[in-house]
Structures are given as structure tokens and as C-alpha cells.
Amino acid sequence: MSPQVKPLKIETFQDIIRILRERPEWLEEMRRLILTDELLALPKRFDTFLKEEFYPLRQDVETLKQDVAVLKQDVAVLKQDVAELKGNEFERRVRERAPAYLGKLVRRCKTLSFEELAELLEDAVEKGLISDDEKAEVLNLDAVAGGISKADGRRCFLALEVSVKVDIEDVERAARRASVLARAGGFPAIGVVVGREIAERASLRAEELGVVAV
């Protein structure tokens, strides 16, 4: 004798919930009636998206960020290299055309070669006029010229610091190295900064130290 099926009594929404809990196979069928196949497939499709597309995409983004960081570094280095090239080219131009840049300061302007300057400074070291450190300091000048001062008619040296944009450090180096050059050469030496532009604070500092800005 087959067991009697207990009749289902549904009077409230809670009764529906209770029955669906007791009959999970009904719950699945109801879900299919209420939701479309597309909606039911969304969780699986989303999981597939995460595994096959999102995570690789995130890795690609991280790689791209690293590439951009490297590119920024390369651009910074390139800008620095270009700035150095411009500075070196400007220094070369000033050395080659020193009379054109310094004609307002001296007559018979002549640029000293590195060898001439080194010999002059070496003699000064041997005579005890300057130290080895001071010799090295002056050898780092961008250029040294000699001539007859238009201000007082005396022979003098010009200690040049050349920069595309002259800043206060250029002015102070020119003044410091001119002082050493004067002791080494036995003639007055004028600190000179040459640039396409000069910072305001550098201009003020040049007036304080007696450095000529060209």
C-alpha cells in the first residue's frame, strides 16, 4: 500500500518559502520560470570573465604602468642630455668667439688654451701662490681670457662661467675662481658670467661680488 502524500496547504507567502525549502527541486524550477536563461548564466559568465579577461587585463595594465614609468625616466634622461648638449655647444661658441662676447670689457682679447692655463697654474703652485686644490678649482672654469682692461688700461684676466641660464652658483664660482686666478697670474682677474639669460637673484649677487654679467 503506497504512502499517502501529505496535501500541501498554501495560505501565506511564508508557506511558499517553507515548501520551497522542503522541495529544493521545485526551487530550481521556479528559478527557471522567473529568470531567463541569460540571467541564470550570468554568474558563470562573470566567473569566466574574471578568469579569462579581467585578470589578464589587470596584468596588462600593471605592465603598461611599468612601461610608462620607464618612459618617464627615459624622457627625463633625454631632457638632461639635451640640456647638456645645449650647454656644451654654448660654451664652445663663447670660447671660439670670446672677443665678440668680451669686447666691451677688454681690448686685444685672447682666450687661453687649457694647456696654457694649466702651465700658468702649475707655476703658481710651485711658487706657493696657490694650492693644488685651488689649481684644480680654476681648471674647472669654462674659459679664461686675457686682455687690456678698457676701464683702467691694465692687463687682466677674465674668469668665465658659461651657462645657458646663469644662476647664483655660477656667479659665486666665477668670483671665487677669479680671485685664485689673480693670485696665480699676478694680474687682476675679473669674474664673468655669460648666458642667454640670468636669474634675478644671480644678477643681484653679481653686483655684490663685482662679477660682470654678459
Side-chain angles (χ1 to χ4, degrees):
M1 185 173 178
S2 60
Q4 265 188 326
V5 178
K6 184 180 178 180
L8 299 177
K9 184 179 180 181
I10 301 175
E11 295 181 347
T12 65
F13 183 71
Q14 294 301 321
D15 292 334
I16 297 175
I17 295 175
R18 175 179 54 78
I19 293 171
L20 290 175
R21 284 175 178 170
E22 293 174 354
R23 302 287 183 90
E25 68 276 11
W26 290 11
L27 178 60
E28 184 63 27
E29 186 63 27
M30 180 173 285
R31 184 180 289 121
R32 289 188 177 278
L33 289 173
I34 297 175
L35 303 175
T36 64
D37 290 340
E38 289 78 7
L39 288 174
L40 290 172
L42 278 178
K44 184 176 180 180
R45 290 173 59 186
F46 183 70
D47 185 59
T48 301
F49 166 75
L50 289 179
K51 292 178 180 178
E52 298 181 2
E53 298 183 39
F54 177 74
Y55 292 119
L57 178 62
R58 189 169 65 177
Q59 293 174 352
D60 291 342
V61 170
E62 288 300 321
T63 301
L64 180 60
K65 287 171 64 177
Q66 294 174 3
D67 291 343
V68 170
V70 172
L71 179 61
K72 285 183 177 180
Q73 293 177 351
D74 291 344
V75 170
V77 171
L78 179 61
K79 289 174 66 177
Q80 179 65 31
D81 290 345
V82 170
E84 289 181 4
L85 285 173
K86 286 183 177 179
N88 292 337
E89 174 61 22
F90 187 51
E91 287 180 17
R92 183 190 63 78
R93 180 180 175 83
V94 171
R95 282 194 295 269
E96 291 178 354
R97 304 185 62 184
Y101 286 94
L102 305 173
K104 292 183 179 180
L105 301 177
V106 295
R107 293 182 290 106
R108 300 183 181 276
C109 180
K110 178 185 176 182
T111 304
L112 274 69
S113 68
F114 185 83
E115 291 77 11
E116 290 172 329
L117 177 62
E119 184 176 354
L120 182 152
L121 295 172
E122 193 62 48
D123 289 343
V125 170
E126 292 176 356
K127 294 176 183 178
L129 299 175
I130 63 173
S131 67
D132 281 318
D133 288 343
E134 289 175 322
K135 180 189 77 172
E137 172 87 358
V138 175
L139 285 174
N140 281 320
L141 278 165
D142 293 324
V144 173
I148 307 301
S149 171
K150 287 188 174 181
D152 56 22
R154 295 190 299 170
R155 181 181 175 187
C156 67
F157 290 115
L158 301 175
L160 277 67
E161 286 293 320
V162 181
S163 180
V164 175
K165 182 175 182 179
V166 176
D167 209 338
I168 191 169
E169 291 80 7
D170 300 306
V171 172
E172 292 175 344
R173 281 197 300 268
R176 185 172 63 251
R177 293 169 179 176
S179 175
V180 177
L181 182 60
R183 283 191 281 117
F187 297 101
I190 303 169
V192 180
V193 288
V194 183
R196 291 197 174 102
E197 58 180 307
I198 181 169
E200 183 177 355
R201 63 172 188 164
S203 182
L204 295 174
R205 187 62 171 152
E207 291 181 8
E208 294 175 359
L209 297 178
V211 171
V212 178
V214 177

